[in-house]
Amino acid sequence: RQADSLILAAVLREGWIVADDWTRIAADEPLPPSGAILIAGTRFVRDRDALLARAARLGVTITNDVDVATLAPDLARLALIALNFPKFSDGRACSQARLLRERHGFAGEIRATGQVLLDQLLHMRRCGFDAFEMAHPDPEAAWRRAMSAYAAFYQPTGFRAARRTA
């Protein structure tokens, strides 16, 4: 068990471990002049005009009790929305992801953070998530197993994942 605690969270995008090129900015921290930043939704509301005026990529982390419709006017300017799973039994972030993709047409990255569990990866993917922060010794293998768990689905989804060719 102790070895598990030494595993660092990796960012998994489209099934591949990728470098996280986003800088998380605290609520009271000054904005850097350049670079991709990820800020809390409360700061986005407070400093919206200054944040949207920046030329660099902008990402927002929102809690699962936020109505994603409040972001609708600014979705074209956001490159990343990180949705949090505070505990494995709270799936409101899945509903947020579906709304962002299917109702609001968000085309940027939707990242799952918090309690991201292997047995929920396929469902999260079908809801519109395309990136996951997760601690696992081999997240790429876990992804492949999760994505191949089922060959057909009865429930439709409006999200069409881009296929990676390698």
Side-chain angles (χ1 to χ4, degrees), residues 2-3 9 23 27 33-34 41 54 60 72 84 89 92 95 100-101 103 119 121-122 125 136 138 141-142 151 156 166:
Q2 187 175 12
T23 301
S34 62
R54 293 178 79 247
V60 176
N84 186 44
S89 61
R92 291 179 286 177
S95 298
L100 284 167
R101 294 286 190 215
R103 184 173 294 167
D119 61 345
L121 284 178
L122 180 59
R125 182 69 179 118
H136 188 274
D138 189 355

Side-chain angles (χ1 to χ4, degrees), residues 15-152:
W16 304 94
I17 295 174
V18 297
D20 189 1
D21 55 350
W22 292 88
T23 301
R24 293 175 190 262
I25 306 296
D28 57 348
E29 191 175 347
L31 296 177
S34 62
I37 61 170
L38 182 59
I39 57 149
T42 52
R43 179 156 186 191
F44 179 72
V45 170
R46 185 186 76 206
D47 299 337
R48 179 183 176 276
D49 293 336
L51 290 162
L52 293 175
R54 293 178 79 247
R57 294 183 303 152
L58 177 61
V60 176
T61 300
I62 60 172
T63 57
N64 61 6
D65 59 349
V66 169
D67 181 356
V68 295
T70 61
L71 297 174
D74 301 312
L75 288 178
R77 181 62 178 88
L78 297 175
L80 165 67
I81 299 175
L83 302 174
N84 186 44
F85 288 87
K87 56 185 177 177
F88 74 92
S89 61
D90 189 338
R92 291 179 286 177
C94 286
S95 298
Q96 288 173 313
R98 282 199 75 164
L99 288 169
L100 284 167
R101 294 286 190 215
E102 296 174 18
R103 184 173 294 167
H104 301 292
F106 182 64
E109 178 178 312
I110 299 178
R111 183 182 294 187
T113 64
Q115 295 291 317
V116 178
L117 302 180
L118 299 177
D119 61 345
Q120 295 173 343
L121 284 178
L122 180 59
H123 177 69
M124 289 178 186
R125 182 69 179 118
R126 289 182 43 78
C127 288
F129 288 94
D130 49 9
F132 308 85
E133 285 181 12
M134 56 188 293
H136 188 274
D138 189 355
E140 290 174 344
W143 170 267
R144 287 189 298 277
R145 280 192 307 277
M147 293 306 116
S148 65
Y150 298 98

